[in-house]
Amino acid sequence: MLCCCFYILLLLLVTKMAAARAHAAAQRSLFLFVFFMFLLVLQTLEAFTQYSKTELLQISWNCQFNTPPKSDFIPPEIQRTATALTIPPLWPRRRRRYRKQKRGRRSGARARLHANPHRPALPSLFLANVRSLANKLDEFRLRIVSRRMDSCVAIITETWLDNNTPNAAVELADRSLFRADRTADSGKGRGGGLALYIHNSWCAATHIIGTHCTPDLEYLAVKCRPFRTAREFCSILIIAVYIPTQANAKLALEELYCLISRQMNSNSEAAVIVAGDFNHVELKAVLPKFQKFIHFPTRDNNTLDQVYCNIPGAYKAAAAPHLGMSDHISVELTPTYRPLICRTKPTIKTVQVWTEEASSALQDCFELTDWEVFKDGSDLEAYTTSVLSYVQFCTDAVLPTKSIKVYPNQKPWFDGTVRSLLKARDAAYRSGDRLAYSRARTELRRGINQAKRRHRQRVEQHFANNNPREMWRGIRTITDHRSSMQQTTHDPTLPDTLNTFFARFETPGSSRDPGPLLQLEEQSQPLVLQLHQVSSTLRRIDTSKAAGPDKVSGRVLKLCAHQLAGVLLDIFNWSLQLTSVPVCLKSSIIVPVPKKSSVSCLNDYRPVALTPVIMKCFERIILNHIKDIIPATLDSHQFAYRENRSTEDAVSLALHATLSHLEHPDTYVRMLFVDFSSAFNTVIPDKLTLKLHNLGLPASLCLWIKDFLTNRPQVVRIGDSTSSTLILSTGTPQGCVLSPALFTLFTHDCSAIHSTNLVLKFADDTTVVGLISNNDETHYREEVQHLTGWCADNNLILNTSKTKEIIVDFRRTRKVAHTPLLINGEEVERVDHIKFLGIHITSDLTWSLHTSHLVKKAQQRLFFLRKLKRTGLSSQLLGNFYKATIESILCLSATVWYGSCTAQDRKDLARVVKTAQEIVGGPLPQLDSVYDSRVRRKAGRIAADPTHPGHNLFVPLPSGKRYRSIRTHTNRLRNSFFPRAVRSIHPPPPHITQLGQRNRPLPPDLT
C-alpha cells in the first residue's frame, strides 16, 4: 500500500508539471500517465492475490503431514514471520469507564444471565402449557435457534404424549428429556402429561426421583446436581405439577403436600422448585414457606400457571408469547437469587498479638502496680470498676494489634503462597500469553494441592501432640461440618424485642424484701477466701471463652494469675463481707441462641448470658463451698449437674420401674412428661435464699446469692446491634456457673408423695411415673395435683400444651378406656411416642423408631467421613472422627435400648458400621462389644456409689462371688439395663469394699 501511495503522489506531481507546460508537453504527459497507471494496476493485482478454499486446504494438508513442517509449501505472499504473530488477549483490557458500576441496560439479572446463561445460582426457567407438545415442537425449536429461549430448564404441561410417541420424536438438541405421561390411573385415556427439558451445559447429573398420576394430580420430580451451584444448596429439586380442571382441590393439595414433604425430608439441603399448571389451587395453603413468583394472568384473566420455590426472592417472572395456538401464555423466569458468598462482604477484624515480649511486659506492669491506690477512698463498686478498667487499659497498651481481612469462604490453607500464585494467574490471563497462562494455571493447581497437604499434616501433628481442639477445628474446616442452626435475622428492632420478651417474668418490687434473712446470728461470720483458691481458679480458666461486658479476656487473667490474684482476692472478700456484688460483675450480655434450625417465634431463642470471666471464677469458688455444705444424698432423683449421673441413668431407672411393675397382673403405667415455661427465668430469689438457708448455708452467703440474682443489668446483642438495658431481679441467668446448682437446689423439695409414683428430674425436665394397679389412679392423680400446686407456690409455670402423657398397657383382658388427665382444667395430650432426654420412647416400649432415627442421622455423617478420606488423612484420624461423630450417635444411651432392640434393628445399625469400616480402611469396634463394655463400666460405677438411686439393686450373694440376679418373667425386663448390669459384673473383694465404704454417708431412702 505504501508503494501504491508513492505512485499516486508521483503521478499528481508529474501531472501538475505537465499542466504548467500546457500544450508543449501534452503528448509526453499522456504517455507518462498511461505508464504509471499500468504500474499501479500491476502492483494492486499482486497484492490481492486470491486463493480458493480447496487450495488453502491443500496447503494446510501439506504442512500438517510433513514433519517437521516446511515453509516451502506456503506461498510467500501468505507467509508470516514469528515476530508478526500477535495473540489477542483472552479478555480485552477494560477501560476505566467500563470498570464503573453498571447501570441501566448494562446491569441487572437479565444482563448477568445473558453473560453466563448456563452458570446461574438457580436455573433459568421456561414454563408453558402447550396442549400437544408434538404440534408445538417446531416453534419450540425455532425459539431456541433464534436465542429467544435459552433457559436451563423448560417445564412443559399438557404434553398429550403417550407410550406410542418415542423420545426421539420430541427430543431437543443439547437437552435431556424427562417425561411423565398420563397413565390409566388418572381415569382418562389421553391428555395431560408432563415433560422437563434440562440443558446439558447446566447439569448432566440428573435423574427422576418420583412420579405420580391420579385423577387429581400429575407429578414429576427430577433431582439435579449442576456443574456450578451455590454452596448453600447440595442439589436442586425440580418438580413439575399438573392439576386438572375437574380435580378435587383438597385431595390434590394433600397428595402434593405428602409428595413434596417426602422429597424435602430426603433432601433437606436442596433448593426445591415447584412449577406447573395449578388451576386455582394455592400451594401456599399447605406449604406457607414457599414463595410464588407469577403475579400476572396466564390464561385470560386468571393466573393458572405458577412457580413456587423455598428460596425467597429466587426469580423474576416475565410473560412470553403463546406457544403455537395454546390458550396459555408462556412464562420466562430469570433467577435473581445471589449466593450467600456474594452477599456477604469481607470483614476486617483487629486482633491482639500475644508475643513473649508483650506477655512479659504485661506481667511486669501488673507486678509493679500499687493496687492500694485504687482502694483509697472508694467503695466496692468504684474499686472494682477502676481495677477492671486498669487491667483492660494495660492490656490494650502493651499488646500489639493487627488487622485481618476475613472472607466468608476463606479456608485455613489459603496462605500467602496460594494468594501470590492466584495473582500471577490473573496477570497471565490479562497479558494474553496463552503459554504463560497455561503455566500459571498449572502452578496454581499445584500450589493449592501442596497447601492442602500442609494443612492436613498440621492436623495430624495436632493429633500427635495431643491437641484435640485444634485437630477437630481443622477436621471441621476440611469437611465443612457446621451446625444447622439458623442465624438470627438483621432486624434492628429484634434485640429490644427479645430483651423485653426474656424479661416477661419480671415482677417489680417482688424480690426486694429481705424477710427473715435480716435476723442474722451475731456469731455468723462471712466466708473468707484464701489466696491459693483464687490463684488456682485463675490458672484453670479456659482461654477460648469469650470475654464479658468488662472486655477482660480470660487469657490475661490466666497469664497474670500470680500478679492479679491478690487484688481479686481483696475484691472477693470485700464483696462477701458486705454481702453485695458489684454491678459491673453481675451485668450480662444475652446472646440469643436458636433452639432449632427453623425459628418461627421469639420462644425459639434460648437466652445465654455472657458474664465477666472474673465473676465466673468467683462463682466457681462459691460453688465448691456450697458443695461442701450440701450433703450428697440430697435429692437422689435429680440426675443433672451431679457426678456419676446422666440421662442414661434417668431413663434406665424410669424404664426399670415401669417394666418391673408390668410384671404383675392387671397393671399399667402412666408416664407424664412435664414441660415448664422458661424455668430458669422464673426463680424467685427470696424463695431460693430461704430454701438455701434451710439446707444449712450461712445467712451471709444466702444474702450474697440474693444480691447476685437481683438488680442485674441485661442487654441483648445480635451481631453489631445491642438493645437498651433492663434491670432484672427474677430468675437465674443461663450461662452462669452458679445457675444450674441453684436451680437444682431450688427444686430439691419436688418429690413423690406416694410410694407408687416416681418423680425423676433432669434439670427442668420432670417426669412423673405412675405405677397403677387394678385401675386405681387415685395416687397418680393426687401426685399430679400436688405437682401443680408445688409449681404455683414456687412460681414455675406449667406449659400444659407441651406436656405429654404416654400410657403403657400390655393387658389383653379387662382393658378399659383410660380417663384423660386434666391440669388446671386443660386436658393433657396423650401420644404414642415422645423424645425423652434424647431417646424416643414409644407406648409399646420398642426401639425401632429410635434406631431408625439414629441410622438416618449416622448415614448423613458418613458423607463427612468420605470427604476426609478423599483428603488423604490417616486411618487413625479417620477412626477418631468416626468414634466422635458416628459411633457417638449410634451408641447414644445404648445401655438403655440396645439390649432390647430387635435383630433387624441391630442389622441396620451394623450396616452403618460396616460402611464406615470400608471408608476408614481398618477395623472398627462392633456395637455389641461397645454395648457390653459400657454396661460393665456403668454397672461398676453404680455399684460403687451408695448415693445412686439404683445402688440398692446390686445386692451381693452371701458367697460374695456375684450379685443377686433380679427376678424377671418377661424378656422385656430381662434384656433391660439393670438386670443385664447385675449379671455382668462381680462384687469386689471384701477388704476393698470395706476400704471404699469407709467414712461414706448412709444410703438414702430409695423409695
Side-chain angles (χ1 to χ4, degrees):
M1 294 302 295
L2 293 175
C3 184
C4 295
C5 294
F6 175 77
Y7 285 142
I8 293 173
L9 292 174
L10 183 60
L11 177 62
L12 294 175
L13 178 62
V14 173
T15 304
K16 186 174 182 181
M17 293 173 61
R21 298 181 182 180
H23 184 72
Q27 294 181 352
R28 186 169 50 184
S29 300
L30 180 61
F31 174 77
L32 291 174
F33 177 80
V34 174
F35 175 76
F36 283 117
M37 288 297 294
F38 173 77
L39 293 178
L40 178 61
V41 172
L42 181 64
Q43 181 68 23
T44 305
L45 292 175
E46 182 180 0
F48 289 95
T49 304
Q50 294 183 354
Y51 290 89
S52 64
K53 181 179 180 181
T54 305
E55 292 174 343
L56 291 176
L57 291 176
Q58 184 64 34
I59 294 173
S60 175
W61 183 274
N62 295 333
C63 294
Q64 183 178 359
F65 289 94
N66 285 274
T67 305
K70 298 180 180 180
S71 61
D72 300 339
F73 297 100
I74 305 176
E77 60 270 12
I78 63 175
Q79 284 188 6
R80 293 183 180 179
T81 60
T83 57
L85 177 62
T86 58
I87 302 176
L90 299 178
W91 188 265
R93 182 179 291 274
R94 300 170 63 190
R95 297 185 180 181
R96 183 176 182 83
R97 63 175 179 268
Y98 295 126
R99 293 200 296 269
K100 295 181 180 179
Q101 181 180 1
K102 292 184 177 181
R103 296 180 178 89
R105 295 177 61 88
R106 296 181 297 165
S107 65
R110 284 187 174 274
R112 291 194 299 267
L113 183 64
H114 180 72
N116 296 295
H118 304 130
R119 298 172 59 183
L122 291 175
S124 54
L125 304 178
F126 177 82
L127 175 63
N129 184 316
V130 297
R131 296 176 63 86
S132 181
L133 177 61
N135 297 333
K136 314 296 190 303
L137 205 58
D138 292 336
E139 183 177 345
F140 202 10
R141 291 194 179 100
L142 182 61
R143 288 196 184 186
I144 296 174
V145 172
S146 61
R147 303 289 293 180
R148 291 181 179 272
M149 193 280 293
D150 195 21
S151 302
C152 298
V153 179
I155 304 169
I156 310 299
T157 60
E158 287 203 77
T159 59
W160 293 7
L161 302 177
D162 53 22
N163 295 332
N164 298 325
T165 306
N167 286 342
V170 291
E171 285 182 344
L172 297 177
D174 300 329
R175 284 169 169 81
S176 300
L177 171 63
F178 299 92
R179 293 169 49 181
D181 301 336
R182 175 171 284 180
T183 63
D185 296 334
S186 64
K188 296 182 180 181
R190 58 182 180 178
L194 300 167
L196 287 176
Y197 290 98
I198 299 179
H199 206 294
N200 296 330
S201 299
W202 174 69
C203 180
T206 54
H207 64 278
I208 296 178
I209 58 176
T211 59
H212 185 76
C213 184
T214 62
D216 302 315
L217 175 67
E218 295 183 30
Y219 167 93
L220 170 63
V222 176
K223 183 177 181 179
C224 305
R225 296 292 298 271
F227 297 113
R228 294 175 62 89
T229 186
R231 292 187 178 183
E232 49 265 33
F233 309 137
C234 64
S235 60
I236 296 177
L237 301 184
I238 302 174
I239 300 175
V241 175
Y242 174 63
I243 300 177
T245 308
Q246 300 81 8
N248 187 324
K250 184 177 180 180
L251 295 178
L253 273 180
E254 291 179 357
E255 295 178 5
L256 186 59
Y257 172 76
C258 295
L259 293 170
I260 295 177
S261 299
R262 187 182 305 120
Q263 298 299 341
M264 292 183 66
N265 291 334
S266 303
N267 306 272
S268 57
E269 297 182 359
V272 183
I273 302 170
V274 185
D277 187 354
F278 287 84
N279 275 317
H280 300 291
V281 175
E282 186 67 34
L283 183 62
K284 289 179 68 66
V286 292
L287 293 172
K289 293 186 178 181
F290 275 64
Q291 183 178 354
K292 64 180 181 179
F293 301 99
I294 300 179
H295 304 284
F296 49 83
T298 59
R299 179 187 176 187
D300 297 334
N301 295 325
N302 302 316
T303 304
L304 305 183
D305 303 277
Q306 192 56 262
V307 175
Y308 297 90
C309 186
N310 62 343
I311 308 299
Y315 286 100
K316 180 180 180 181
H322 300 72
L323 200 60
M325 299 301 295
S326 175
D327 55 352
H328 291 247
I329 65 171
S330 305
V331 182
E332 294 181 355
L333 291 104
T334 304
T336 57
Y337 176 79
R338 297 190 65 192
L340 183 61
I341 188 176
C342 299
R343 289 182 280 125
T344 306
K345 296 182 180 180
T347 58
I348 298 178
K349 294 183 177 181
T350 302
V351 296
Q352 295 176 336
V353 183
W354 288 84
T355 61
E356 294 184 1
E357 295 80 4
S359 301
S360 178
L362 190 61
Q363 291 176 344
D364 295 340
C365 179
F366 292 143
E367 185 72 31
L368 300 176
T369 300
D370 185 10
W371 300 104
E372 294 295 330
V373 176
F374 300 97
K375 188 176 182 180
D376 292 342
S378 301
D379 56 359
L380 177 61
E381 182 69 33
Y383 181 32
T384 307
T385 304
S386 58
V387 168
L388 296 181
S389 301
Y390 177 75
V391 171
Q392 183 60 25
F393 169 77
C394 293
T395 304
D396 295 338
V398 173
L399 295 179
T401 60
K402 66 177 181 179
S403 299
I404 300 176
K405 182 178 289 188
V406 180
Y407 294 88
N409 63 333
Q410 185 169 339
K411 298 293 184 179
W413 48 262
F414 193 82
D415 52 9
T417 304
V418 178
R419 192 176 292 106
S420 62
L421 291 174
L422 183 61
K423 292 181 180 180
R425 193 276 310 268
D426 295 341
Y429 178 81
R430 291 189 297 267
S431 67
D433 190 345
R434 294 180 183 274
L435 183 60
Y437 177 62
S438 177
R439 189 183 303 112
R441 290 181 62 190
T442 305
E443 292 294 334
L444 177 61
R445 191 182 304 110
R446 186 181 296 113
I448 290 176
N449 293 335
Q450 292 175 357
K452 289 183 177 180
R453 190 180 304 111
R454 290 193 297 268
H455 178 66
R456 185 182 70 246
Q457 292 173 356
R458 287 196 299 269
V459 172
E460 295 178 349
Q461 188 65 29
H462 289 319
F463 174 75
N465 296 338
N466 196 19
N467 190 353
R469 178 184 295 275
E470 295 298 330
M471 180 192 70
W472 287 115
R473 181 179 299 173
I475 288 178
R476 284 196 301 268
T477 303
I478 295 174
T479 58
D480 290 329
H481 186 196
R482 295 291 185 271
S483 175
S484 59
M485 291 301 178
Q486 175 180 326
Q487 297 295 328
T488 54
T489 60
H490 298 284
D491 184 5
T493 63
L494 183 59
D496 286 293
T497 304
L498 283 175
N499 201 14
T500 305
F501 178 76
F502 294 150
R504 65 190 185 277
F505 301 105
E506 180 67 17
T507 304
S510 62
S511 301
R512 300 184 181 180
D513 182 17
L517 291 179
L518 282 179
Q519 302 174 359
L520 300 178
E521 296 84 352
E522 296 181 359
Q523 295 81 12
S524 175
Q525 296 294 330
L527 176 65
V528 178
L529 305 182
Q530 302 299 324
L531 182 64
H532 67 89
Q533 294 176 308
V534 179
S535 180
S536 61
T537 305
L538 293 177
R539 291 192 181 96
R540 292 197 301 267
I541 292 177
D542 187 359
T543 57
S544 63
K545 300 298 183 180
D550 59 348
K551 299 182 181 180
V552 177
S553 66
R555 189 165 186 174
V556 175
L557 299 176
K558 185 174 184 179
L559 177 67
C560 306
H562 177 70
Q563 291 78 14
L564 297 176
V567 64
L568 293 182
L569 175 65
D570 192 18
I571 293 175
F572 293 168
N573 284 330
W574 196 3
S575 174
L576 291 172
Q577 182 181 0
L578 299 178
T579 64
S580 175
V581 180
V583 177
C584 60
L585 291 185
K586 59 183 179 181
S587 61
S588 61
I589 298 176
I590 303 299
V591 180
V593 178
K595 299 179 182 178
K596 53 185 180 180
S597 58
S598 179
V599 175
S600 57
C601 61
L602 296 178
N603 200 32
D604 290 337
Y605 290 103
R606 178 178 289 107
V608 177
L610 194 62
T611 57
V613 181
I614 294 177
M615 190 61 202
K616 290 182 179 180
C617 298
F618 196 3
E619 292 178 67
R620 194 167 286 111
I621 299 174
I622 299 299
L623 178 61
N624 294 332
H625 182 70
I626 292 176
K627 288 182 177 179
D628 294 338
I629 298 176
I630 301 299
T633 58
L634 179 70
D635 197 6
S636 60
H637 287 123
Q638 174 62 262
F639 293 87
Y641 317 119
R642 301 185 66 176
E643 187 179 359
N644 197 25
R645 304 290 193 277
S646 65
T647 57
E648 290 180 279
D649 298 279
V651 180
S652 297
L653 192 65
L655 292 179
H656 180 73
T658 300
L659 295 173
S660 300
H661 181 69
L662 292 176
E663 295 278 290
H664 303 90
D666 197 15
T667 57
Y668 63 94
V669 176
R670 300 186 72 152
M671 305 177 70
L672 181 67
F673 301 92
V674 181
D675 182 83
F676 296 109
S677 294
S678 300
F680 280 78
N681 297 331
T682 59
V683 174
I684 300 297
D686 279 341
K687 293 182 178 295
L688 173 63
T689 51
L690 286 176
K691 290 184 178 183
L692 295 178
H693 188 58
N694 294 333
L695 290 174
L697 266 67
S700 59
L701 183 58
C702 294
L703 287 175
W704 183 91
I705 293 175
K706 178 185 176 181
D707 187 80
F708 167 67
L709 296 177
T710 55
N711 299 322
R712 294 180 288 108
Q714 171 182 295
V715 296
V716 173
R717 186 178 66 190
I718 301 177
D720 297 332
S721 302
T722 305
S723 69
S724 57
T725 304
L726 292 180
I727 306 299
L728 302 184
S729 298
T730 303
T732 57
Q734 300 184 44
C736 295
V737 177
L738 280 176
S739 294
L742 293 180
F743 183 81
T744 56
L745 294 176
F746 182 71
T747 59
H748 79 280
D749 54 343
C750 177
S751 57
I753 59 176
H754 296 286
S755 60
T756 57
N757 299 321
L758 191 66
V759 177
L760 302 176
K761 294 171 291 186
F762 192 90
D764 59 337
D765 293 325
T766 304
T767 304
V768 180
V769 181
L771 310 178
I772 301 170
S773 302
N774 301 322
N775 295 322
D776 185 7
E777 299 181 354
T778 304
H779 289 174
Y780 172 70
R781 295 183 179 274
E782 289 179 357
E783 194 72 56
V784 175
Q785 189 65 28
H786 175 265
L787 177 63
T788 304
W790 180 89
C791 293
D793 295 338
N794 291 273
N795 199 40
L796 290 179
I797 302 174
L798 273 172
N799 191 351
T800 312
S801 60
K802 292 186 178 181
T803 300
K804 309 297 179 184
E805 185 185 31
I806 284 182
I807 298 179
V808 184
D809 192 352
F810 296 139
R811 296 178 298 174
R812 299 181 180 179
T813 59
R814 293 182 294 176
K815 194 171 183 179
V816 298
H818 299 286
T819 306
L821 181 65
L822 299 179
I823 295 180
N824 295 328
E826 187 176 351
E827 183 178 344
V828 177
E829 181 183 1
R830 188 182 303 166
V831 295
D832 293 330
H833 61 86
I834 192 173
K835 190 175 183 180
F836 173 52
L837 299 180
I839 302 177
H840 294 270
I841 297 180
T842 60
S843 58
D844 57 356
L845 298 184
T846 57
W847 303 105
S848 297
L849 178 64
H850 181 68
T851 54
S852 64
H853 280 80
L854 296 182
V855 169
K856 180 181 178 181
K857 193 172 182 179
Q859 287 176 343
Q860 294 175 350
R861 300 288 179 90
L862 289 176
F863 166 78
F864 301 107
L865 187 63
R866 292 188 181 95
K867 197 169 183 179
L868 283 178
K869 178 67 174 180
R870 288 194 295 267
T871 60
L873 283 180
S874 62
S875 298
Q876 190 175 13
L877 271 180
L878 293 177
N880 288 338
F881 183 82
Y882 162 79
K883 292 180 180 179
T885 60
I886 300 177
E887 185 182 271
S888 61
I889 294 175
L890 297 177
C891 299
L892 178 65
S893 303
T895 57
V896 177
W897 53 267
Y898 189 82
S900 302
C901 63
T902 62
Q904 183 61 41
D905 295 337
R906 297 192 182 192
K907 186 182 295 184
D908 295 339
L909 296 168
R911 189 181 298 113
V912 178
V913 179
K914 183 179 179 181
T915 304
Q917 190 167 290
E918 294 174 355
I919 298 173
V920 173
L924 295 174
Q926 299 300 313
L927 296 183
D928 290 337
S929 60
V930 175
Y931 168 70
D932 293 337
S933 62
R934 290 193 178 187
V935 168
R936 288 194 297 268
R937 183 169 60 250
K938 181 167 285 295
R941 292 176 179 176
I942 295 175
D945 184 6
T947 64
H948 196 283
H951 177 75
N952 63 330
L953 299 175
F954 293 83
V955 180
L957 290 173
S959 62
K961 295 183 178 180
R962 62 183 181 88
Y963 290 105
R964 187 182 303 276
S965 298
I966 299 176
R967 181 174 299 178
T968 61
H969 299 288
T970 60
N971 289 331
R972 283 193 299 266
L973 178 59
R974 186 178 300 110
N975 295 329
S976 61
F977 167 69
F978 278 106
R980 279 181 173 268
V982 170
R983 298 193 303 265
S984 63
I985 62 173
H986 300 281
H991 66 280
I992 297 181
T993 304
Q994 296 175 2
L995 182 63
Q997 293 184 351
R998 184 178 300 172
N999 297 329
R1000 284 188 176 177
L1002 294 176
D1005 185 8
L1006 298 177
T1007 60

